[in-house]
Every structure is written in C-alpha cells, then in structure tokens.
Amino acid sequence: MKTLLKIILTALAVVVLAKILPGVTVIDYTTAIIVAIVISLLNMFIRPLLVFFTLPATILTLGLFLFVINAIIILLADNLVDGFEVSGFFTALLFSVLLSFFRTILFSIFKDKNQIKN
C-alpha cells in the first residue's frame, strides 16, 4: 500500500510540474502514473549502475554529478513513455530537482505514523 501511495504522489508531482515547467508535457493522468512507475523502476535498476560507473566524476564534483544522473533518468523516461515529453537536458535537470523536492514534501506529509514512533 505504501508503494502505491508513493507512485500516486509521484504522479501528482509529475502533473504539477508539467503544468509549471514550459518544456515538460504530460498528456493525461494515466501517463503521469506510468511515468511515475517508469521513473521508480529506472531509479531502482539503472541509477545504481550509472552511479557506479560515474563514481570518479561524482567524487570529483563532490556529488553534484548526481544531478546529471537524475536528468539522464528523466530523459530515459521521456524516451520510454509515449505522452511524456521533456524538451531538453536543462529542462530535465530542473524537472528532476523539482520532482525530488516535491516528492520529499509530499512523502513527509503522508509519512506513516508508526515510523515516527520508532
């Protein structure tokens, strides 16, 4: 249930960001849910590989290269999902930063009360 809630909240953040950012387009809510699932899967499987292979660049830039990896994940989601478009790299970079920010806020609002006690 917690995973489903996170996917729905991520889809909500994707829709809001598509309305705010001029270079991001999502055609409907179903596409936003698919984008949320694809981003979650890419973060689960592809992101660790990218982090591992770019570890020297990440260390050299003191972790700032992780923003580039997040933008690459967004561009991969753009290529995989029809109905979701990001106009370029810098738009994907801004989208990924804002998506992380919105997800953090939304997840903290809906945090499980049992986690607070522990």
Side-chain angles (χ1 to χ4, degrees):
M1 186 66 177
K2 191 170 27 172
T3 305
L4 182 62
L5 179 65
K6 286 185 176 185
I7 288 173
I8 291 171
L9 291 175
T10 303
L12 176 68
V14 167
V15 169
V16 168
L17 287 174
K19 301 274 188 206
I20 294 172
L21 293 176
V24 179
T25 307
V26 177
I27 59 170
D28 59 3
Y29 295 111
T30 306
T31 304
I33 292 173
I34 294 170
V35 167
I37 293 169
V38 168
I39 289 174
S40 297
L41 290 173
L42 288 172
N43 279 333
M44 191 182 313
F45 295 113
I46 303 299
R47 189 173 194 274
L49 293 172
L50 289 174
V51 169
F52 177 74
F53 288 124
T54 61
L55 192 59
T58 303
I59 292 172
L60 188 65
T61 61
L62 302 175
L64 292 176
F65 195 75
L66 293 174
F67 289 119
V68 173
I69 291 174
N70 288 341
I72 291 170
I73 294 294
I74 298 300
L75 291 173
L76 283 172
D78 173 27
N79 287 331
L80 293 173
V81 179
D82 292 333
F84 174 64
E85 294 183 18
V86 180
S87 64
F89 177 77
F90 290 109
T91 305
L93 184 67
L94 182 60
F95 180 83
S96 69
V97 169
L98 291 175
L99 182 64
S100 297
F101 178 72
F102 282 142
R103 286 180 63 184
T104 301
I105 291 172
L106 289 172
F107 291 172
S108 68
I109 291 171
F110 292 102
K111 185 181 280 189
D112 189 16
K113 291 182 178 39
N114 291 332
Q115 291 178 350
I116 296 172
K117 292 178 184 177
N118 292 334

